[in-house]
Amino acid sequence: MREIERITDYIRSLEPDGDPILEEIQQKALEHFVPIIRKETGALLKTLVAGVRPKAILEIGTAVGYSALLMASVMEPGCHITTIEKYEKRILDAKENFQKAGCLNQITLLEGDAGEWLGKLPEGGFDFIFMDGAKGQYIHWLPDVLKLLAPGGMLVSDNVLQDGDIIQSRFAVERRNRTIHSRMREYLFVLKHTKGLETSVVPIGDGVTISVKRR
């Protein structure tokens, strides 16, 4: 475990200084214990967005807007991000951060429950989807998410390894985490066994899945 931590620290040390606004948002989130994407995972997300060059991005779980702004920093001109968040305090912070970064025209924030919004969005309307909301809901959101994902599109899901708990027996996990544990295991199984979907589980950060919907 110590070796993994050393490797992670080394990977993080390679990252160049980021945009001052993003650095400020990240620092403030860490100080207030707001869960945001880990540094090495953020680097992967930016690389994937730069490589895919999507025209429309959907993010499930805005928090304070940090990951949306990471994606916006590398997306092509004309690309638009739609992001969903239900917690009022974080919505206010995210809007403020989007304004501060000058990205209000590139990002639309939908306020409310993701489960309700997903059924209202255009089928096949997104060629890149970033799943980073309530972990226990991933498996419930997946059918709608796959309808929203365009053929050839990419779905990236964060925090799928749950700090290593995912490999533990259900009974070795704290009782309060067992439902999330079992649902995440189901989510990973479905991603790997859904026809027409190619998925890789990447042990970076707290675990990421990268899924491509074959044309």
Side-chain angles (χ1 to χ4, degrees), residues 6 12 18-19 25 27 34 42 45 52 73 86 90 118 122 137 158 166 173 178 180 185 187 199 214:
R6 288 177 60 195
R12 290 176 178 174
D19 179 273
I25 295 170
Q27 187 59 39
V34 176
L45 182 64
V52 173
S73 71
K86 72 175 183 178
R90 292 179 185 170
L118 292 177
Q137 298 303 315
D158 196 17
I166 200 71
V173 177
R178 287 179 184 173
I180 294 176
R185 279 195 164 203
Y187 180 71
T199 296
R214 293 207 302 270

Side-chain angles (χ1 to χ4, degrees), residues 85-155:
E85 180 58 56
K86 72 175 183 178
Y87 294 111
E88 292 183 9
K89 174 64 169 66
R90 292 179 185 170
I91 288 170
L92 293 173
D93 289 340
K95 286 181 176 179
E96 181 181 328
N97 289 332
F98 295 156
Q99 183 174 24
K100 189 182 299 183
C103 289
L104 288 176
N105 292 331
Q106 289 79 42
I107 303 174
T108 297
L109 199 163
L110 303 179
E111 303 178 27
D113 184 79
E116 297 177 6
W117 274 113
L118 292 177
K120 301 175 183 178
L121 296 172
E123 188 169 326
F126 301 93
D127 42 0
F128 193 98
I129 299 179
F130 181 46
M131 185 98 82
D132 194 25
K135 314 312 167 199
Q137 298 303 315
Y138 282 17
I139 187 64
H140 299 312
W141 292 334
L142 186 59
D144 281 334
V145 165
L146 292 181
K147 290 178 184 177
L148 298 176
L149 188 64
M154 179 177 288
L155 166 64

Side-chain angles (χ1 to χ4, degrees), residues 29-40:
L30 294 174
E31 289 173 358
H32 292 85
F33 304 102
V34 176
I36 60 170
I37 192 169
R38 300 187 187 187
K39 198 165 188 176
E40 63 276 19

